[in-house]
Every structure is written in structure tokens, then in C-alpha cells.
Amino acid sequence: MGGWLYGLVGESPFPPMRAVIYRAVLVVCIVLSTAIAIIDTVHDAWVGVEEPVALAGGLFLAVLSADYILRLLHARSQRGEGESGLAAMARYALSPYGIFDFLAVVPFLVGEAAAMLPHDGETVFGILRFLKLARYSPALETLGVVVLHELRPLLAALFIMLILAISASTLLYFAERATNPNFASVPAAMWWAIVTLATVGYGDVVPITPLGKLLGSVVAVLGLCMFALPASILASGFSEEMKRQNFVSTWHLVSKVPFFARLQASQIAEIAGLLKLARAIKGEVLMREGDTGECMYFIVSGQVEVKGKAGTFILKNGDFFGEIALIERCPRTATVKAVSRCQLLILDARDFHKFVAHDHALLEVIWDTARARMAQAGHVSDKEKEPA
Amino acid sequence: MGGWLYGLVGESPFPPMRAVIYRAVLVVCIVLSTAIAIIDTVHDAWVGVEEPVALAGGLFLAVLSADYILRLLHARSQRGEGESGLAAMARYALSPYGIFDFLAVVPFLVGEAAAMLPHDGETVFGILRFLKLARYSPALETLGVVVLHELRPLLAALFIMLILAISASTLLYFAERATNPNFASVPAAMWWAIVTLATVGYGDVVPITPLGKLLGSVVAVLGLCMFALPASILASGFSEEMKRQNFVSTWHLVSKVPFFARLQASQIAEIAGLLKLARAIKGEVLMREGDTGECMYFIVSGQVEVKGKAGTFILKNGDFFGEIALIERCPRTATVKAVSRCQLLILDARDFHKFVAHDHALLEVIWDTARARMAQAGHVSDKEKEPA
Amino acid sequence: MGGWLYGLVGESPFPPMRAVIYRAVLVVCIVLSTAIAIIDTVHDAWVGVEEPVALAGGLFLAVLSADYILRLLHARSQRGEGESGLAAMARYALSPYGIFDFLAVVPFLVGEAAAMLPHDGETVFGILRFLKLARYSPALETLGVVVLHELRPLLAALFIMLILAISASTLLYFAERATNPNFASVPAAMWWAIVTLATVGYGDVVPITPLGKLLGSVVAVLGLCMFALPASILASGFSEEMKRQNFVSTWHLVSKVPFFARLQASQIAEIAGLLKLARAIKGEVLMREGDTGECMYFIVSGQVEVKGKAGTFILKNGDFFGEIALIERCPRTATVKAVSRCQLLILDARDFHKFVAHDHALLEVIWDTARARMAQAGHVSDKEKEPA
Amino acid sequence: MGGWLYGLVGESPFPPMRAVIYRAVLVVCIVLSTAIAIIDTVHDAWVGVEEPVALAGGLFLAVLSADYILRLLHARSQRGEGESGLAAMARYALSPYGIFDFLAVVPFLVGEAAAMLPHDGETVFGILRFLKLARYSPALETLGVVVLHELRPLLAALFIMLILAISASTLLYFAERATNPNFASVPAAMWWAIVTLATVGYGDVVPITPLGKLLGSVVAVLGLCMFALPASILASGFSEEMKRQNFVSTWHLVSKVPFFARLQASQIAEIAGLLKLARAIKGEVLMREGDTGECMYFIVSGQVEVKGKAGTFILKNGDFFGEIALIERCPRTATVKAVSRCQLLILDARDFHKFVAHDHALLEVIWDTARARMAQAGHVSDKEKEPA
């Protein structure tokens, strides 16, 4: 049953169909359940449809509760060597995802006991269900890593902003307090300062004296400058982290491609930084004869069918294709279709030439294959007799 | 007639004069027609000029309808081998541009039938005419490619923003609901949260309790940080895509310049990343004697006239000029004027030196040509006797 | 006593425990003291708690005063050769931090004299205490360096914005003055222009005529573009400066690692740009057996304990670890824990391979060490018999 | 008199003292004159001080008029070979700066005629005086170049924004028109759409229906994304252009340094991209013994005094200093002071090592000089006996 459960709730990169359906049902339940909890706070929102909504809410809660139990069982079936099933379940229950899953079903447990959860609690737990979606979005985890990594410059930027906010509010307090009740105290002025520095500008608190407006203009322009610091720190950290994650995952995939085995570690590291990972589903057309070719492909897993003038043949993991258009700068000479689910590594035209310029061994292998294929297709031009 | 039509509505990079006029007329018709549809929604906008406006509107509609018919005919004349004319027309009619063209003339078709289109429909279709302009702006297509390419990080950023918005609105709902009718429900609070996180800040919904203002300040600053994610993903994706498009188009042009034929594929790829494509109209002055020289030019097509101390001569496709100022770091020694429409590839001073530093063969060819030209002009300095 | 004082208030990178506590107490005093001064401006904020607040305020002031005296004494104990104690104290008192420290305790000195400081002065000096925190945030200093460095482009961007603001306000003044009392003069219109260009948009002053709205739209979009200039100048200057500071501090640390002694100056400069500085406290786990390895470590100071299949051993300053996972692309083969406070230099997988690709001598040293370690662990694979 | 005039109003990089004073007076006149024109539009701004203000205004106008006449004379004195004085003056008068200068003094000319300029004209011309400052800010010119260079992507971004604005306003018009008079027509809704997309958000027009708020949220988030396009295009174009200008100006300066004469053109281009131009006034201290050294200097023009353990000596154009701290990674071994106005080229530690790593000839020259200097200072360590 562990395997069946793993197929259902496990995090395999190629989930079986039942897991895909299960995920879809779960996501729909979570989204609708959260939506009900949110709309529930609107007075008279459900007039006339109270019953179906309550029924739907109960159903969603039941599904989420069942999911929690399944995941507990799954955790037990995945227990490590020498670990008791209870310990494994506790480990899941205390992990962030386990806690999110639990929070989502609290109303079920408490409600069952004696319907003693006040309405507010229901609202909160209903909305917290949204967190269950985090499981399917690695972005939050990435953001967490970035925030931790860039904590010092981020705090520095926030400290600068805090000093600006305190200074601006003190100045405006003295400039406006006599005539403007909105600046009657420094904390009141600070609300204005933060809203202005963040360039939100509600307009509920606005300086009215000429001096206040002059100072306010300076603060608005400063806000515009300060803006850049946390935003750009986070933005560059985020893109840096995504590149790093991509490098590491590609790096480990490269070793699965026999073709790269002949490369030295440092060359693999270089090419791993250039390759991009892509997936293709069965039947997907990867390139079409006559198109402009802008990249070549390496197959990590799966099979593709190549249909060109030289006939039709099958390529499988370790093979590459699409190199002729890069070397010859001609349109694609064949149409390539995935005949099973494929993992592919893509090498851009620019990166291809950047890499082969320094690595003649690799180029020659690609060249030999390309020439053999072109000869087969009766397509050898004069130029490729003198390889680069 | 196919050729004549192609000259009129086809997408050739060097359109004949009649196509330029046709495009201009069409763009004017589209813009004015959309403007009429927009201003039409203003009550009493046309008082006193109803008739001329209606006439103009009818005229524009007629022009757009004629354009649609011309494009259908053009599609038929461009039909592929073994394709029926009807199939070719259907292919155009179902392409995005074909649909945009059709939407623009719906009021004509329906109006002819029985003037049964309600006024709202007229407004909508009138405004939709604007989409016809997309044909002349490759930017939308580029944006589409970028959004598709960066879909995962964009969705991730939006998901983070959604979680922030839901959390912020739930917190503010509990903080403000007792005193502030604007936060009476979570959806109402969410309007505030999104307006604040996007740093728009209308000010129609604003926290009024001290706790609400404190939380609101945090949300405003978070919004300022979150801002960076989707914006920077799109911005870097956009500029990356524009560079890639430029590389591919330049890469294919380079092979048309005989001068580059001697280079190896990898060198062509390297220099193609450095070259910029430019166009010159007949009579345009490309450089003036005595100016500071900051780039050199390769001619892809067309002819230029070089007028210097060494006399006047003509250069044509495959030739290059402007290299003396780069090698000698002296002002331009000649004035160069396009004598026909030209396509040029431009190489910056910085990139020129970066490239020739690693490629002596190329430098020597440029050097020989430059020295020959300078000798002709009686301008050989001591330095160029020992080439780099 | 000088040493004891240095241990308390000095800026050593590894402060003793009493300094850490002292800092914490000081930061708490500063933050609470500023908070009291800020909240003090709210009418009736302390009703019912006047006495405890006044007491706390007095206490914080006393602590800050004591700190000022301690720092004066510390300055005297740190006096340079041939410098009088008074001169050393004056040097501290006139330094920026000395002035900040003094401003924080002004109310104490003046209040003692005759309670003659008006309430406003108390507010200002109370809030100024916040500046004392600057000592613990190097970010402000960095920002100052960046602003000085990028002064010309920043002023240029502000000048462009000023020209835009003046032009926009003049145009809007003529467009709106007849109907909109908010645009009755150019200075009034300028308040609107700056608030719009900074995308703050309070909404207290808004154009109401069609022409005014049209011009206002253009100004809003221009603001959005202009936004980019100062923000991006500061952002890129900030990150550039942080990189530079990191390079310089790493560069000087590298020479403390005997391992790098064999490298040439230019190689050290290259690797110093790739290394990142990190610190570990006693007991911190630096890597865990079985994890994916994404970097290697060099020890600048301190000791770590390596626990793997090959047994447990200690590494100390000059040693490196974590290289096996990078060379073999396998999971970590050992768990490493800091047994004392450590300074470490981290080299990323990507940078590792980038660097060793060009430097075979370094690679061979790392390789030899790695192979020896792996042999010890009975883990030598076929591949590493032919080193890169 | 031409030379004296050139010294006064000419654009020499090292202006004599009288030009500096003249510029300062002019800038003060322009700023105050513009300020008077702006404040003039405030009703009753000058009550009680009408006379002094009018006097000051007249004075400033007289100064600006005198400046215009001086510049006309200067233009005549600078006339080209075979050019008549009148033609030279006309050329200046019709240049952008000449037109700005003329616009500033229009009230003088017209006012003299018959005080027939209406008050509005006085306001406009008074404010236009601000444009005279453009002469002293090259930023506007740079921005113009960037806007021209990036015109296509900028227009593309604006087109995307226009399509968004039209679509958003049409949607909101249909969603809100029944209940919200602010959305009574598409143009009215477009005011809202642009204010929202630019994230200004005045709040004078806000959707009030649930559907309108939902659509409005989407538009706010889209605006936040779209924001990035024009802003990042301008920002990167601006910084690219500044780098290019710096490269070109440095590139031409490098040839003035005899030391670089031995380098090949491509090496000069490489190092020109790394060098930064700096100026020092007489008496400025460039480095202080004992400081951390982070760069070395090349002297383009001027003289410096080096005072160290090896005694005091003078270096002049073509010499370099500061290299010992970079090679030895030790603190500065001497104090260097400018004894005349100097132009210097600065090479960063990072760039120094990056460059010498590939260029042994240059390193050896620097090395020899450094060793000679250190020998003189009795400071030769063991390490420098084996140069890199």
C-alpha cells in the first residue's frame, strides 16, 4: 500500500495519472474552500444558497481531512530504517507542510467535538487552507532562501528606510501640527511618512502648509530612490538563486547523458551552466522541418522520432539532435516528435558556439555525427569538408 | 496580381512606396476609427457634428473592410503548393491577425444586414479595431514569448503576492472591522490589500485604527519589495529575448557578407553577438570627416560613397569602412554617404578591439585594407608599420 | 581597565560575551527611549501610566549617559602615541558617532541644570537617540559612499526630474487655473507634479479639465519612466559597492590561508572575487553526510570536526573540505561540524569549476587531497584515476 | 578680446577663476529669476516687498541679457575660417543653447518696446529661463541620445501600455457605468486606467462595484508588471550610454600616457574599459601612508608629490603610483599629494589583477618600477623575488 500511496501523494517528478487527478481535485477543494471562507465574511453573501454552500464546505473539509490521514499513512509507509511508524508520522505532522495540512482540518476536529469553534476561528482556519497550496509552489521556498541569504542587506535597507521615516515624520510633525490635525503627533505623521516613502500615497493624510508640502516633496522623491534598495536586492537575489538551482539540477542530469561522459569535470560544469532543462509530453513536436533553428537538444530520458529526407529513425537517451541547423545556419532539416515523455537539455545557438569555440573535441564529435546524418540525407555542402 | 498585392499588404522588409502609403492610410483609419468609438461613449460629444463624424466613421469602416478583402485575396495568391485557395483564405482568416482584421469589420457586416447591432456592440468592435495595429508592432509578440517563457517564475511571483494579499486582508479585517465599515468583510479588505501591495494606494479604503495603520505600514513596505519580483522577471526576460532575436537575425545576415566567409562558425557566432543591424536610406550621411569615430561598418546590401582626401569611391555589399578611426584613434578621415538603401552591420569600438584581440586573421585583413586606404590618402603614420 | 573597556564598547569582530550583552541592553534602551519620545507626542498617551513611563525614560537616559562616559574613558585608554588623554577624548567627542552619543544625552545635562529644556526639545533629542543605532549598521556608511560616488548621475537624474516637474506644473497651471482652485499658482501645481512624478498620487490635487487630465496622463507615464533613473543608479551603485567591499575584505583574508600561498598575485585576485566569507559559531553543522554538495570550504581561522566513513578527524586554519562532492558530483561523504568559532571562505560549485578549468596546479593539489581522503574512506571510483 | 571671452563663457574643461565666478553668478541669477516667475503666480505673494522683488527681477534680466550679448560676441570671435561674423552669430543664435538663451531675455526685449507683453507671457518666459541651466548638465543630452537609441523598444512598451489602458478602460466602462458616474464614458475610464497602470492612484476615480474592483485589482497588478518595461529599458540604456561615453573619453586620454605607448591597440581598448578618469585639485591628498590600497593611478597631466620612507620625489604625466599596495597587498607605503591640478586614470585592485593576469609585459614594467621603489625604501620582501 506504501507504493500506491506514494504514487498518490508522493512528490515524484513524473507522477502517475491518479496522482495528477488527485492533485487537481485537492487544488480545487483548497481554492473553493478558501473562497467560501473569504466570502463567508460578507454579510448576507449566501442568502438563498446557505444549504448548498454549507454542504460544499463540509465536503471540501472532508476531502482535506482524508488527505491529512492519507499523508499520515504515507509518512508511516516511508519511515526510515529503525524508525517507528509513530515517529515517522510525528515527523511529518511537525514539518511545515504537515502543520499546514493540520491547520486546514482543525475546524473538522473541533467542530465534531461540540461545534464550539466560534465563527471567527472558522474564518481563520478556512483561509489558512490556502497555505496547503505552498506544497505545489517551490517559489515560496526559494523566496525564503533568498530572504535568509540577503538578510543583512535587506535589514540594512529597512533600517535606512526606518531612519528616513522617523526623520521625515518628526520634521512634518513640527511643520504641520499647528494647522493640520492629521499631523497632531509623531506616530500619526509616521503613518504619512511610510505611506509616502513606499509611494503608496493614500491621500488620507496630506501636508497642507507650504513648508509641509516642500518637505513632503523631498520625502516623495527620496522614497522613489530608497525604493530601489530592497526591491533590487530581492530581485537580484531571486534571479541568482533560480540560476543556482537550475545549475545544480542540470549539473546532476548531465552525468546521465553518456555523450558528456568524455568531458572533464570543469567542462561539464561549464556546459551545465549553459544547458536549460525542458520536458516534453508524448506526441509533442520539438522541431519542424523548415523552421529556423536556434538550439540543439540532448536527450536525458525518453525517446524521440526524427522524420526527415534521410527517412525516419528513433533517438533515445544520450543522443542529441538539432545540431545541423546550428552548424550550417540552415533551416531545420527534419521534424522531431517525442514518442514518450522526455527530459531534454537545450543548448542555445549562442551558447553552442561559445562552448565549441573552446572545446574542439566536443565539436568534432558533434560534427562527425552531423556530417554522417547529412550525408545520409544527401545534403553535404562544400563547407563542411573543412571543419572548424 | 499576387505580386502587386504582396507589394501592398505583404510583410517585406523593404516595402515599395505604395505599401508605405497604404500602411500610413490604414494606421490613420484605425487610430481615428478607434478614437471615434471611444469618444462616442461621451454623452453629447458630437453635438453639431453628428453627420461628418458618422460619415468619417463609415468611410473608415469601408477602408478597413476593403483591407480585409485585399488580405483574403492576398492569402489566396500566396497559397502553398497543393493547397486550395479557400484553404489558404481560411488559414489567414483563422490566424490571430485574420481574426483581428475580421473583428474590426464586424459592424459593417452586421450593420448591413439590419442595423441590428446594439450600440454597445458598436463600441466594443470599434475599440477592438485598435488590435489591427498589433501587426505593425512586434513588441506584443515578443512580450507573449517572454510571458510564456517565464511563466513559472511569473506565476510563482503572483502566488506569493496572492498569499500576501490574503494574509494582509485577513489581518486587517480583524483589526478594523469593528470601527471601519470599509473593512467589513475579507473581500472588501482584499481590495485594500491589492491596491496597497501594487503601491497604487487610491485612498478610498484606508485603515483608521492604530493597529490597522501599523499592519498597513508593514504591508506597504512588503508591497514595495514584492513589486520587484514580477517586474524584474519580465524586464530581464524582455531584454534577454530582444538580444536573442537580434543575435539570430544578425547571425543569418553575417553569412551574406563575403568578408566573414573566411571566419569559422564559432567566430561568426561570436561576432554576430557583437554586431548591430542598422538601415540607412538613400542620401543618409553615415559619418562625417573630422568626427570622433566610435564604430566601423560592414555593408550587407546597398552602396555607399566615400569622399576623403584619397578621392571619392564607391563601396558595396561585402565591403567595410570606418576602421581607420578605430585602429588609429584619430578623427574620421572621410565622409560616407549612402547612395542607395543600405543594410549595415555596426561594430562598436569596444567590441572591435575585444574581438580582434583574439582573432589576428581578421585584424590583419582589416589592417591591410586600412593601410592601403591610408597610403592612398598619404596618411600612414609610424605606428601602423608594426601591426598588433 | 582599557582592555576591559575595549572588550565592552570596542568594535572587535569577535566580541566577548559581556560586550554582546552590553550591546543588547544598549539597543533595547535606545529603541524604547526613542519609542517613548515618539509616543510622547500623542495627546494623553500615558494617562494612568505617567509615573512608570517617566521612570523608565529616566532610566534609559541614565544608561545612555553612562555609555557616553564609558566611551569617553575608552577613547582615553585608546589614545595614540604622544597624544594627551584629553585630545583623544575630544577626537571621539567630535567624531560622528561621538556627536550622536552626545545628542542622545543632551536632555540629561540640560534637565539636570534647571529643567529648562522646553518640551519640543525633549522630543527632538529623544528621537535623535535613534541615530546611535547607526553604529551597528554599516549600511548607512555604504549608502553614503555610494551617494558620493554616484553624485553626478544622481544630480543629473534629479535635474531631469526638476525640469519635468517645472514644465508639467506650468502646463497644468495654464490648463486648470480657470476652473480648479488647486492649480491657482505654479507652486501649487508643482506639488501636484512632484507627487505624480514620484507615483505617490495622494489625490488631494487632481486635474479636472479634459486637457488637464490628458496632460496629467502623460506626466504620470513620464514619471514611471523617470523613476528608473535615480532608483537604478542607486541600486547598481549599492550592489557594486557591496561587491567591492567584499572583494577587499576577502582579498586580505586569502593571504592568511597557507593553501593559497602558492598562487600568484593575479590568481589570488581572481579567486578572491569568487570566494564568499562566512562565519560559523561553535557546534554549527556545516555539512551533513548525504546532502547535495554545492560548495567547498577553506578555513581561515578556527577548527572543524569531520566525521565520515574514514573516521573522525580535525581540520584547522589553512585546510579545506567539501571538495569531494564537487569533483565527484556525489552527495556529501562526511558530516562537518565547527568545534570553535570559525571564519570560512566558501567557493561555489560553479565558481570552483570555472577557476580550476584555468588553473591546473590548484586543481591537482585539491585532487591529491581529495583522492587521499577518498582512498582512506575506501571510496575511490574508476573515474578519478584520470584527473582533469 | 576673443580669448578673454572664451575664458569667460567658453566650455574649457579647466576654466580660469573668472569663468567659475561668472558661472556661479549666472546660475544664481537663473535660479532666482525662475523662482520669482514661479512665485509670481501666487496671489498676493509679494505683498509688502513688491519693489525689491521687481528690482531684483530687473537686475537678473539685465544680467541674462548681458550674457546673451557676450555669447553672441564670443560666437563671432570663434567664427570658422572664411565664415562671416554675422554667420557665426546666427549659428549660435539658432543652436539649442542659443535659443534657450534668447527665450530667457524675450521679456527684456519686448518689455523695453512697450510693456506690451501680457502677464502670462512674462510667467512663461520667466520659467523658461530654467532651460539655460541645461548647458551645465550633460545629463539631458545623454538622455536624449538614449531615448533616440532605444526609441523602438520604448515605443513598443508604450504601445503595450496603450493597449492595456484601452482594454482596461473599456472593461471598466461596461462594469461600472450603471452605478458610477466617474465611469460614464470610455475616456473618463481611461483617466482611471492610466492613473492605475502608472501606479499613481489618485483615488478621485475608483471602481465601486464588486466586478469593477476585481477587474481593477487585475489592472493594478498588471500595471506593476508593465512598469518594468519602459523603466528598465531607459535605465539600462542610460547606464550603457554613460559607460560608452566614459570608454571613449578614457580611450583618447590613454594615448597621452607614454607608459601605455608600448601596448597594442587591442590592449589599450581593453584597459581603457577598466580605467576611470578622475581629477584632483592642487593640494589634494590622493593617498595616505598606512591606508588600505585599493587602486593604482596613472598621471595624464599635472604633478604629484610622493612622500614616503624612501624620501620625497615628484611624479609627472606618464608616471604611475600606488602599485606597491596592489602587488604586495600591504598598506600604502607613501603619502601622495597633488602639487598642481591633475588628471588621473584610476585602476581598481580587481581590474589591475584581471588585466595583468593576461598581460605579462605590462606587469613586468610595473613590477620593475615597484621593486626599484621598494628597494629604495628598504622594503623588499622575499616574495617579490619571483614575479608572477
Side-chain angles (χ1 to χ4, degrees), chain D residues 142-166:
Chain D
T142 305
L143 188 69
V145 171
V146 172
V147 167
L148 268 181
H149 209 89
E150 306 279 346
L151 202 59
R152 281 175 66 94
L154 273 181
L155 286 179
L158 290 179
F159 181 68
I160 290 171
M161 194 163 276
L162 196 57
I163 284 200
L164 270 180
I166 289 179

Side-chain angles (χ1 to χ4, degrees), chain C residues 10-80:
Chain C
E11 304 288 319
S12 75
F14 286 106
M17 190 48 73
R18 68 171 181 283
V20 173
I21 294 169
Y22 186 79
R23 267 189 207 184
V25 169
L26 212 60
V27 167
V28 168
C29 283
I30 294 167
V31 169
L32 290 181
S33 179
T34 309
I36 287 176
I38 286 175
I39 297 170
D40 224 31
T41 61
V42 181
H43 190 63
D44 287 339
W46 306 121
V47 168
V49 291
E50 288 94 345
E51 290 224 350
V53 167
L55 202 73
L59 185 71
F60 298 147
L61 191 51
V63 170
L64 299 183
S65 304
D67 176 63
Y68 188 59
I69 293 165
L70 279 179
R71 287 186 193 275
L72 276 175
L73 292 175
H74 169 59
R76 203 181 55 177
S77 73
Q78 297 281 311
R79 67 175 171 276

Side-chain angles (χ1 to χ4, degrees), chain D residues 37-206:
Chain D
I38 286 175
I39 298 170
D40 223 32
T41 61
V42 180
H43 191 61
D44 287 339
W46 305 120
V47 169
V49 291
E50 288 96 345
E51 290 224 349
V53 167
L55 203 72
L59 186 71
F60 297 146
L61 192 51
V63 170
L64 299 184
S65 304
D67 176 64
Y68 187 59
I69 292 164
L70 279 180
R71 287 188 192 274
L72 276 175
L73 293 175
H74 169 58
R76 203 181 56 177
S77 73
Q78 297 281 311
R79 68 175 170 273
E81 216 179 294
E83 193 181 26
S84 80
L86 215 69
M89 283 160 73
R91 192 155 48 81
Y92 157 69
L94 296 173
S95 74
Y97 290 148
I99 292 169
F100 293 169
D101 291 341
F102 178 75
L103 289 176
V105 299
V106 163
F108 180 78
L109 302 171
V110 179
E112 281 300 293
M116 61 194 211
L117 190 73
H119 190 69
D120 277 3
E122 229 170 82
T123 302
V124 169
F125 287 113
I127 292 172
L128 282 178
R129 265 164 221 163
F130 203 75
L131 292 175
K132 269 183 81 105
L133 285 182
R135 188 193 305 276
Y136 304 120
S137 169
L140 275 180
E141 223 162 293
T142 305
L143 188 69
V145 171
V146 172
V147 167
L148 268 181
H149 209 89
E150 306 279 346
L151 202 59
R152 281 175 66 94
L154 273 181
L155 286 179
L158 290 179
F159 181 68
I160 290 171
M161 194 163 276
L162 196 57
I163 284 200
L164 270 180
I166 289 179
S167 314
S169 53
T170 307
L171 284 172
L172 264 285
Y173 163 69
F174 285 113
E176 293 274 322
R177 64 178 167 171
T179 48
N180 193 339
N182 283 322
F183 288 90
S185 69
V186 174
M190 208 174 300
W191 167 245
W192 167 85
I194 288 175
V195 164
T196 301
L197 284 171
T199 75
V200 171
Y202 291 123
D204 58 335
V205 182
V206 167

Side-chain angles (χ1 to χ4, degrees), chain A residues 153 156 159 166 170 174 177 185-187 192 196 199-203 206-207 213 217 224 227-228 232 244 247 251 255 269, chain C residues 38 41-42 120 124 127 130 137 139-140 191 198-202 204 227 230-231 234-235 242 292 294 326 329 350 353 357:
Chain A
F159 181 68
I166 289 178
T170 308
F174 284 113
R177 64 177 167 170
S185 69
V186 174
W192 168 84
T196 301
T199 73
V200 171
Y202 292 123
V206 167
K213 289 190 173 188
S217 301
L224 189 148
F227 207 136
S232 74
R244 210 188 52 79
F247 172 77
W251 191 35
S255 49
Chain C
I38 286 175
T41 61
V42 181
D120 278 1
V124 170
I127 292 172
F130 203 77
S137 170
L140 275 180
W191 168 245
T199 75
V200 171
Y202 292 123
D204 59 335
F227 207 137
L234 269 183
M242 307 248 286
T292 312
E294 294 166 8
L326 297 196
R329 270 166 306 138
R350 247 193 310 177
H353 288 292

Side-chain angles (χ1 to χ4, degrees), chain B residues 46-66:
Chain B
W46 305 122
V47 168
V49 292
E50 287 95 345
E51 290 225 348
V53 167
L55 203 72
L59 185 69
F60 297 146
L61 191 52
V63 170
L64 299 183
S65 304

Side-chain angles (χ1 to χ4, degrees), chain C residues 167-378:
Chain C
S167 314
S169 54
T170 308
L171 284 174
L172 265 284
Y173 163 68
F174 284 113
E176 294 273 320
R177 64 177 167 173
T179 48
N180 193 340
N182 284 322
F183 288 90
S185 69
V186 174
M190 209 174 299
W191 168 245
W192 166 84
I194 289 175
V195 164
T196 300
L197 283 171
T199 75
V200 171
Y202 292 123
D204 59 335
V205 182
V206 167
I208 52 173
T209 63
L211 179 62
K213 290 191 173 188
L214 189 67
L215 292 171
S217 301
V218 173
V219 172
V221 173
L222 278 178
L224 189 147
C225 295
M226 283 310 108
F227 207 137
L229 301 190
S232 75
I233 290 166
L234 269 183
S236 76
F238 201 72
S239 88
E240 192 62 28
E241 177 64 22
M242 307 248 286
K243 249 184 237 157
R244 208 187 54 80
Q245 284 181 359
N246 186 57
F247 173 78
V248 171
S249 72
T250 312
W251 189 35
H252 288 278
L253 272 179
V254 163
S255 49
K256 292 194 190 162
V257 181
F259 173 77
F260 292 118
R262 76 192 74 199
L263 295 182
Q264 297 169 346
S266 67
Q267 290 176 309
I268 291 177
E270 193 189 341
I271 208 166
L274 302 176
L275 291 166
K276 266 168 227 143
L277 181 62
R279 277 166 191 174
I281 56 168
K282 189 178 163 177
E284 198 176 323
V285 175
L286 296 163
M287 60 171 76
R288 220 177 274 279
E289 196 178 337
D291 281 2
T292 312
E294 294 166 8
C295 57
M296 71 174 290
Y297 297 82
F298 297 89
I299 307 174
V300 177
S301 67
Q303 298 194 336
V304 303
E305 183 200 74
V306 179
K307 201 180 246 164
K309 279 172 196 138
T312 301
F313 47 96
I314 295 287
L315 296 177
K316 56 180 198 296
N317 54 323
D319 289 335
F320 56 86
F321 57 93
E323 77 291 350
I324 296 176
L326 297 196
I327 295 173
E328 291 290 297
R329 270 166 306 138
C330 60
R332 294 294 192 199
T333 57
T335 298
V336 179
K337 208 165 72 179
V339 292
S340 73
R341 211 146 31 157
C342 293
Q343 277 188 301
L344 301 158
L345 292 168
I346 299 180
L347 187 60
D348 228 346
R350 247 193 310 177
D351 298 330
F352 171 79
H353 288 292
K354 218 184 279 171
F355 188 68
V356 297
H358 303 291
D359 189 333
H360 295 281
L362 181 71
L363 180 60
E364 255 162 58
V365 176
I366 295 178
W367 196 266
D368 289 348
T369 313
R371 203 178 302 142
R373 285 181 190 169
M374 286 186 288
Q376 229 177 328

